[in-house]
Amino acid sequence: MRGEAVPPFVPVPNRGMITLSIMLANIMQGLDNTILNVALPHIQGSLSASLDQIAWALTSYIVCCAIMMPLTGWLAGRFGIKYVFLVSVASFTVASGTQVTIVNDGPSTHTWTSDSGAWDSGALAPGSTYAHTFSTPGTFGFRCSIHPVMQGSVTVS
Ligand SMILES: [Cu+2]
C-alpha cells in the first residue's frame, strides 16, 4: 500500500437505503439472538419438555452460529458480500415461517381443524384465539368440526 495513490472518492447511489437495510438486518439478527431466551420457558411449557431437553434448542442455535460465522467470511469471498447478504436475509425470512392466528369473535364455539389433520384448535370458545405456523407454501383447507358447513382455505406463498 505504501506509495500508492489514494483512489478518488466515488459517490455511492442509495447510500442511505443501503445503510438502513444493513441496520435492519443487524437488528433482526440481534433480536433473533435474544428472542429464543425469552421464548424458551413458553416453548418448554407448550412441548412439556424438561430443562435438559429444552436446553438443546439453545445449544443447537449456538452450534449453528459457531458453524456459520467462519463460513460467512468464506462464502462472502467466494460469492460476494452482496449476494450472501441477500440470500441470508431471504432464507431467514422464509425459514421463520408464516404464523396465522384465528380469533373466534362470534357468539358460539367453533374449531379450526385442518382437512389434512396438520392442526386442530379444539373447541374455541367465543373470544379465544389459536395460532398455527405454516412452514411450507401451499393451499391448506380447513373446516369447523362442530359446524361442517363452515369451510375455507389458507394459501401460503
Ligand atoms: Cu363452527
Side-chain angles (χ1 to χ4, degrees):
M1 289 301 281
R2 191 177 300 157
E4 287 179 23
V6 176
F9 174 75
V10 181
V12 179
N14 303 319
R15 170 172 265 174
M17 290 307 285
I18 293 169
T19 307
L20 186 72
S21 64
I22 292 170
M23 283 170 64
L24 284 174
N26 271 309
I27 289 168
M28 187 171 79
Q29 198 272 336
L31 272 177
D32 193 47
N33 260 337
T34 52
I35 204 161
L36 184 58
N37 288 303
V38 176
L40 213 56
H42 302 279
I43 299 170
Q44 187 183 7
S46 298
L47 298 174
S48 302
S50 71
L51 209 58
D52 284 341
Q53 289 171 322
I54 206 68
W56 276 105
L58 265 179
T59 307
S60 56
Y61 181 85
I62 293 165
V63 168
C64 289
C65 285
I67 292 169
M68 280 313 292
M69 253 178 229
L71 199 60
T72 306
W74 182 83
L75 286 170
R78 175 76 179 75
F79 299 105
I81 295 171
K82 190 171 149 186
Y83 181 75
V84 170
F85 177 79
L86 290 175
V87 167
S88 301
V89 172
S91 55
F92 179 87
T93 308
V94 169
S96 297
T98 306
Q99 182 175 294
V100 173
T101 303
I102 197 148
V103 182
N104 181 8
D105 56 3
S108 44
T109 300
H110 300 282
T111 74
W112 186 39
T113 309
S114 160
D115 289 345
S116 66
W119 75 89
D120 187 1
S121 67
L124 283 174
S128 54
T129 60
Y130 181 79
H132 177 71
T133 302
F134 295 88
S135 50
T136 52
T139 301
F140 306 94
F142 62 85
R143 64 193 140 70
C144 171
S145 52
I146 299 169
H147 314 101
V149 177
M150 300 176 81
Q151 295 177 341
S153 67
V154 176
T155 301
V156 180
S157 54

